[in-house]
Amino acid sequence: MAAGQETPIPRLGAEQHLRAAVTAESRGAVDEALAHYRALVTFVPDHPGALLRLAQHARDGGDRVHAVALVQRAIMGARRLGLRADAAPLYAELATTLREIGKLDDSLAAARAGLEHCGELGGLIWEECQALRALGKHGHRAARLNRLAALQPADPVVLAELGLALLETPSAAQAVRPLRAALDLGLDDDDTALALAGVELRVREFGAAETRLGKILGRAPDHLGALGLRWLLLRLTCRWPEAEVTQQDMLRQIATGAVHPALSPFMLLSCEMAPSLLRDYTHRFQQLAGATSVARPDAPHHGGPLRIGYLSSDFHDHATAILMAGLFEQHDRSRFETFAFSYGPLADSPYRNRLRAAFAHWHDINTLSDAEAAALIRQQQIDVLVELKGITYGSRLGILNHGPAPVTLHYIGYPGTLAHPGIDYLVTDPIVSPPGSEADYAEPLLRLPVCYQVNDDRRERPTATSRSSLGLPDDAVVLCNFNQASKWTAQWFHIWLRALQSHPASVLWLLDPGDDARAVLDAQIAASGVSDRVVWAPRVSPENHLQRLGAADLALDQYPYGSHTTGADALWTGVPMLTCLGSNYAGRVGASLLSAVGLDELITDSPEAYASKLANLLDDRALLRSYRDRLANPATLPLFDTAGFTRAWEDLLMATHARARTAPNP
């Protein structure tokens, strides 16, 4: 029979055509069955079953527009016949087909219409969730999947989807339970197991994560995602020799062009790797994530203040807000109109309330999809959008895929190249990114004249807590490091222990890394003979931390990922810091901070020079005190001159906008 020619069939009654169609399908005679369905609808034009099968055939053949029309007729027939639950497949088919042709809002509406008409059926909730996923409405999707899991508690696929959806929301820690349940029910999927291991690391269930990663690597020793998470686990638990071996395996794969979504570039900031290798990996990571950039709006001249948008989830009691609050408050409102686009916590907090008062306009975009958030930013006619999260946990770089503003720059949230086509510039300074380092970055650099990191001179500078109440000796030189354990390395830890060994009147004050890491480190400390001179500091609120910091004599920095906010905290409380220049952005921030308070002599250029300088400071308490004296009035120093920083920042924004008007989309 010629292509496109219908199968000839005898003239029958409606019921006979239906039985014949079903019989033909049962023996695989698809064309014959379709011919009977077509004949059937000549008798009953809105026959739901026949139209559904014709619609499915049309969709399978690529004619989705015709399929939509057919299934819509079928739904009308179902309503005429009073069908309810039996009509669910029709609504599901309509939602699926609409989603496939990109009509996402219509797809969601179809699924919800089905739920209203047919009742809360699992298949329709699933279709609703698929539409919500395509729309980027992660919070709503997680809520509906939670309902579906309640209806189908033994379905591992639903439970896995719920867990993965929760990872896209602020409730990511709650993903542990459904992901574990899915695997316990027999789901055999490495991606789900890997996602669960990542959450277990976040909630510090290291034993469970290690077992899970071990199983994946037992089957696939070169699995880059599992290697990356195992490397992070080993760093968090300070098992450095094992971490080094895993790091070499990981870097060999990265050097060959491998990439995996579970291994974020943010994790690699703590890895000693060539900046160019990190740049290339970041570029591949963004490509894998679907990063793109569409046409941007023009950069018009409004004739009024420049409209600056700030995009972040950290407009609450968070390090970014703590650093930037003064900048937001000191913007020149005659020249700048400021907009906050927040997708962070909605609950009131001191910094959220302070920032809401500082911005001229505030928009909570939590419930908006990435496309809807970008559309809102466009509607506000933002001239320069400042993205403040980068490739960190909870970021929404997907908003940039939709061209929200004429020019977008990244600032402060992520210390390195983002390699996202929606980012036009990266803000830095001459020490963090010295001249000649431009090739290490995927985007052009905007250098601020002093330190890139803003600080708030309105922040409280409390009187230091007494040493005795902190478990510190009054007569010792107190060395401190309050960075996360994942930033520590064997090299720096051994330098610190050797300094204690050779200087009995000193103690090392460290942020408690948790039981697993502390057990490893305590053994090394005991072997060095200084167990009585290492003090573990508990985790406390930012306010209490700032109060206790002043009890230290010297803060110790490290690379490849150095002290950022932690370093600025120390300097603000009058505690000098010793640093060593790293090779990348994240490892050079400490040097930039020190230069901005006039303590360049505490910047060393090698671990050997760092160890020597540390010994000199421990030998010369008068010199150490002199550095502290130079920090007695921090608000007079360039690092803490918020007004001066704000004027430099505003000049940068004005110049960036002017450049965009003459040469858009660099």
Side-chain angles (χ1 to χ4, degrees):
M1 185 171 55
Q5 185 176 347
E6 291 188 8
T7 301
I9 58 171
R11 293 180 61 83
L12 303 170
E15 289 299 323
Q16 292 172 306
H17 277 302
L18 179 58
R19 287 195 296 270
V22 172
T23 300
E25 282 198 282
S26 69
R27 51 187 171 81
V30 176
D31 290 339
E32 181 183 340
L34 292 172
H36 282 292
Y37 285 129
R38 292 188 189 99
L40 174 55
V41 297
T42 64
F43 289 94
V44 186
D46 61 357
H47 191 286
L51 289 169
L52 174 60
R53 291 299 294 121
L54 292 171
Q56 290 169 335
H57 177 71
R59 179 164 69 90
D60 292 343
D63 191 355
R64 292 179 172 84
V65 174
H66 183 48
V68 167
L70 289 170
V71 79
Q72 285 173 333
R73 279 172 55 196
I75 288 172
M76 292 175 62
R79 286 181 174 272
R80 178 181 63 81
L81 295 169
L83 302 180
R84 298 190 69 81
D86 289 343
L90 305 177
Y91 287 99
E93 180 70 16
L94 180 59
T96 298
T97 309
L98 288 168
R99 189 175 70 252
E100 290 176 350
I101 61 177
K103 294 188 175 183
L104 303 181
D105 289 319
D106 290 343
S107 174
L108 180 60
R112 288 179 170 171
L115 287 164
E116 182 178 354
H117 180 74
C118 306
E120 204 168 36
L121 301 177
L124 291 173
I125 297 177
W126 180 265
E127 287 299 330
E128 180 188 17
C129 292
Q130 293 297 94
L132 288 168
R133 179 178 187 171
L135 285 165
K137 294 181 176 291
H138 302 299
H140 290 158
R141 175 172 171 252
R144 293 302 287 151
L145 281 168
N146 192 56
R147 174 57 182 157
L148 182 55
L151 294 173
Q152 300 173 195
D155 188 329
V157 174
V158 170
L159 291 166
E161 283 293 308
L162 171 58
L164 295 174
L166 286 168
L167 293 179
E168 304 292 337
T169 74
S171 302
Q174 296 178 18
V176 169
R177 185 174 179 180
L179 290 174
R180 280 184 180 162
L183 295 172
D184 290 343
L185 285 167
L187 184 68
D188 185 13
D189 180 68
D190 281 351
D191 288 341
T192 301
L194 198 64
L196 176 54
V199 188
E200 288 168 336
L201 288 183
R202 279 185 209 161
V203 299
R204 306 184 72 81
E205 294 187 16
F206 298 132
E210 184 162 12
T211 299
R212 207 169 307 285
L213 294 170
K215 290 179 179 178
I216 297 174
L217 290 169
R219 294 190 296 269
D222 294 331
H223 193 296
L224 182 58
L227 282 172
L229 289 182
R230 175 171 167 74
W231 174 76
L232 176 60
L233 182 152
L234 295 170
R235 293 295 300 269
L236 287 167
T237 54
C238 299
R239 290 154 58 186
W240 295 313
E242 294 174 80
E244 179 64 26
V245 173
T246 303
Q247 177 175 302
Q248 294 309 312
D249 292 339
M250 183 176 70
L251 290 180
R252 276 194 293 270
Q253 290 204 54
I254 290 174
T256 66
V259 64
H260 195 281
L263 179 56
S264 166
F266 183 50
M267 291 163 56
L268 293 173
L269 295 179
S270 295
C271 180
E272 291 194 60
M273 60 191 297
S276 60
L277 189 61
L278 179 58
R279 176 204 62 207
D280 293 345
Y281 182 84
T282 305
H283 180 70
R284 297 196 299 273
F285 183 86
Q286 295 285 29
Q287 287 183 315
L288 190 66
T292 186
S293 182
V294 301
R296 318 277 192 89
D298 293 331
H301 178 64
H302 300 290
L306 205 64
R307 297 184 176 194
I308 307 299
Y310 292 91
L311 175 65
S312 181
S313 65
D314 296 334
F315 296 137
H316 58 102
D317 294 0
H318 182 277
T320 297
I322 291 170
L323 291 172
M324 296 193 71
L327 166 64
F328 298 141
E329 290 167 340
Q330 296 199 37
H331 258 309
D332 183 344
R333 298 202 175 196
S334 68
R335 300 170 63 213
F336 297 90
E337 189 174 0
T338 57
F339 297 72
F341 299 98
S342 171
Y343 52 94
L346 297 173
D348 284 344
S349 66
Y351 269 96
R352 178 176 164 86
N353 294 337
R354 181 179 170 189
L355 266 55
R356 283 186 69 100
F359 279 101
H361 308 276
W362 184 281
H363 297 277
D364 287 309
I365 60 173
N366 305 60
T367 61
L368 301 183
S369 67
D370 289 348
E372 290 169 338
L376 173 65
I377 296 169
R378 278 178 175 257
Q379 289 167 9
Q380 305 307 308
Q381 297 184 321
I382 298 301
D383 294 305
V384 180
L385 181 65
V386 184
E387 198 283 322
L388 296 172
K389 286 292 289 183
I391 314 172
T392 58
Y393 173 64
S395 67
R396 289 183 60 181
L397 289 178
I399 293 172
L400 307 186
N401 293 344
H402 302 279
V407 60
T408 299
L409 55 88
H410 173 71
Y411 176 62
I412 214 165
Y414 181 78
T417 186
L418 273 70
H420 190 294
I423 295 287
D424 300 309
Y425 299 102
L426 175 68
V427 179
T428 182
D429 66 49
I431 293 178
V432 168
S433 305
S437 66
E438 288 79 6
D440 296 336
Y441 302 90
E443 51 279 297
L445 303 178
L446 298 175
R447 291 185 176 93
L448 286 161
V450 189
C451 179
Y452 86 101
Q453 182 177 291
V454 66
N455 287 275
D456 178 19
D457 58 11
R458 283 185 53 192
R459 193 180 183 195
E460 182 185 5
R461 190 170 185 261
T463 302
T465 306
S466 68
R467 286 188 172 185
S468 59
S469 66
L470 297 167
L472 300 169
D474 288 327
D475 57 349
V477 177
V478 177
L479 309 172
C480 75
N481 183 296
F482 287 101
N483 289 303
Q484 301 291 330
S486 60
K487 290 186 177 184
W488 300 343
T489 69
Q491 179 182 46
W492 299 110
F493 197 74
H494 293 153
I495 287 174
W496 303 336
L497 291 185
R498 286 196 296 271
L500 294 187
Q501 288 175 318
S502 57
H503 297 84
S506 61
V507 298
L508 180 60
W509 192 23
L510 300 172
L511 183 65
D512 190 337
D515 294 344
D516 298 88
R518 199 173 59 247
V520 174
L521 297 178
D522 280 343
Q524 298 182 34
I525 293 166
S528 299
V530 293
S531 294
D532 59 334
R533 290 191 287 121
V534 175
V535 180
W536 299 110
R539 297 172 186 271
V540 297
S541 69
E543 295 77 16
N544 290 338
H545 172 63
L546 203 65
Q547 191 171 32
R548 72 183 178 184
L549 250 180
D553 292 300
L554 179 68
L556 300 173
D557 198 14
Q558 72 287 304
Y559 68 59
Y561 197 162
S563 303
H564 296 188
T565 306
T566 304
D569 287 347
L571 297 171
W572 177 247
T573 57
V575 179
M577 180 171 69
L578 178 64
T579 193
C580 186
L581 278 170
S583 62
N584 58 20
Y585 193 125
R588 301 176 68 89
V589 173
S592 182
L593 296 172
L594 285 167
S595 181
V597 295
L599 294 180
D600 296 79
E601 55 265 52
L602 293 178
I603 303 170
T604 62
D605 59 7
S606 70
E608 294 76 20
Y610 177 104
S612 177
K613 185 69 174 181
L614 177 55
N616 290 341
L617 293 171
L618 289 170
D619 287 334
D620 192 342
R621 291 198 184 191
L623 177 61
L624 190 53
R625 281 195 298 272
S626 73
Y627 292 140
R628 188 175 184 111
D629 291 342
R630 287 159 65 176
L631 297 171
N633 296 299
T636 65
L637 302 170
L639 180 63
F640 301 107
D641 178 8
T642 308
F645 182 96
T646 302
R647 301 292 81 80
W649 175 250
E650 292 176 339
D651 289 345
L652 179 145
L653 294 176
M654 293 291 289
T656 302
H657 179 252
R659 189 181 301 113
R661 290 184 62 204
T662 57
N665 297 331

